[in-house]
Amino acid sequence: MSEIAENWLKLRARIARAEQAAGRTAGSVRLLAVSKTRSAEVVREAYACGQRAFGENYVQEGVAKIAALPELDLEWHFIGPLQSNKTREVAAHFHWVHSLEREKIARRLAEQRPSYLPPLQVCIQVNIDDEAGKSGCLPGELPALVRAVLALPQLQLRGLMCIPRPGNSAAFTDLAKTRQDLLVSIPGLSATRFDTLSMGMSEDLEAAVAAGSSMVRIGTALFGRRS
Ligand SMILES: *Cc1c(COP(=O)(O)O)cnc(C)c1O
């Protein structure tokens, strides 16, 4: 068995254990394979294991990889910082964006989403532990951004994403609470459509699953250390 196949099986078992330990339904946490810096061949290998959803951080690299694998039924997630001059390519090639943090970017993605594609699935990245200089919208700015995204039919708002500082697992609970608060306070948000908490990486997936993560974003534990 290849190293990736072995890692993939271990990771699936690790997620299943985390679900069980947290009293969550088996299969309720999706695995997003973070393939930044990895080749198209590596993606192909993970695909052969059964992996379908892949996350990319850099627009150019992601678009090239997507173009290199047209025959595979993959779901591509953009998870990196997104500048306004790169929105067109993301709108045209990706299925999901996890790193939306500004209304201007939301409007551009909506305008540039080709009409022959289904709505872009979107999570808002929240700077949940409020670190200066970090990506993500501040919790206080969130309701206005949520309302703005809900008004754009080319975008479907799916949930929230965070990257807390290492060891701060309280941030996962805070993000889950933030989602609940939004469901109560914003008309037009439904729990079935606004169903995603994108949180947890190789080092902290157990804490994220315990707090209610529905999608963990894993690079290192699947593909090894990045050089
Ligand atoms: C790189 C990256 C990951 C994966 O991190 P690992 O520690 O390698 O699992 C997850 N989310 C984002 C936004 C990333 O940039």
Side-chain angles (χ1 to χ4, degrees):
M1 205 190 297
S2 77
E3 197 176 332
I4 289 176
E6 228 168 86
N7 289 346
W8 190 78
L9 288 172
K10 276 191 210 149
L11 191 52
R12 294 291 301 246
R14 190 176 155 198
I15 293 169
R17 278 195 307 275
E19 287 171 340
Q20 194 173 25
R24 307 265 316 268
T25 307
S28 56
V29 179
R30 288 188 78 193
L31 169 58
L32 180 65
V34 176
S35 48
K36 65 181 176 204
T37 78
R38 322 286 176 173
S39 68
E41 275 322 298
V42 165
V43 171
R44 208 185 280 285
E45 232 185 284
Y47 179 88
C49 303
Q51 183 63 32
R52 293 294 177 270
F54 291 85
E56 290 286 333
N57 285 62
Y58 311 103
V59 177
Q60 242 46 55
E61 180 195 338
V63 168
K65 227 171 282 177
I66 293 168
L69 299 162
E71 76 284 13
L72 304 185
D73 56 326
L74 298 171
E75 186 180 277
W76 290 100
H77 296 235
F78 188 77
I79 62 174
L82 182 50
Q83 306 302 323
S84 54
N85 62 346
K86 297 282 173 61
T87 50
R88 186 176 297 280
E89 290 197 277
V90 169
H93 297 288
F94 284 82
H95 303 91
W96 283 68
V97 169
H98 291 226
S99 44
L100 184 69
E101 54 178 16
R102 288 187 283 145
E103 184 177 343
K104 180 185 172 196
I105 299 290
R107 276 192 272 107
R108 289 180 66 91
L109 287 170
E111 276 162 23
Q112 294 167 345
R113 181 68 169 171
S115 56
Y116 56 84
L117 291 177
L120 187 62
Q121 309 296 297
V122 169
C123 291
I124 296 175
Q125 182 173 353
V126 185
N127 183 353
I128 194 74
D129 42 16
D130 199 354
E131 286 187 278
K134 203 162 92 168
S135 297
C137 95
L138 291 173
E141 305 165 342
L142 195 50
L145 183 53
V146 166
R147 287 194 182 87
V149 175
L150 285 175
L152 299 167
Q154 300 87 347
L155 305 184
Q156 181 167 354
L157 184 61
R158 294 297 300 271
L160 304 175
M161 182 271 234
C162 71
I163 313 174
R165 57 175 186 277
N168 183 19
S169 48
F172 296 137
T173 318
D174 291 345
L175 196 71
K177 168 85 165 50
T178 301
R179 172 176 172 269
Q180 290 300 342
D181 292 347
L182 289 169
L183 282 168
V184 170
S185 64
I186 299 197
L189 263 192
S190 90
T192 47
R193 301 189 112 199
F194 190 65
D195 59 357
T196 303
L197 284 171
S198 166
M199 55 189 200
M201 315 202 299
S202 295
E203 294 293 323
D204 55 15
L205 78 83
E206 283 80 6
V209 169
S213 171
S214 63
M215 206 184 302
V216 291
R217 308 179 310 269
I218 309 292
T220 310
L222 179 56
F223 299 122
R225 292 171 72 94
R226 286 178 291 275
S227 46

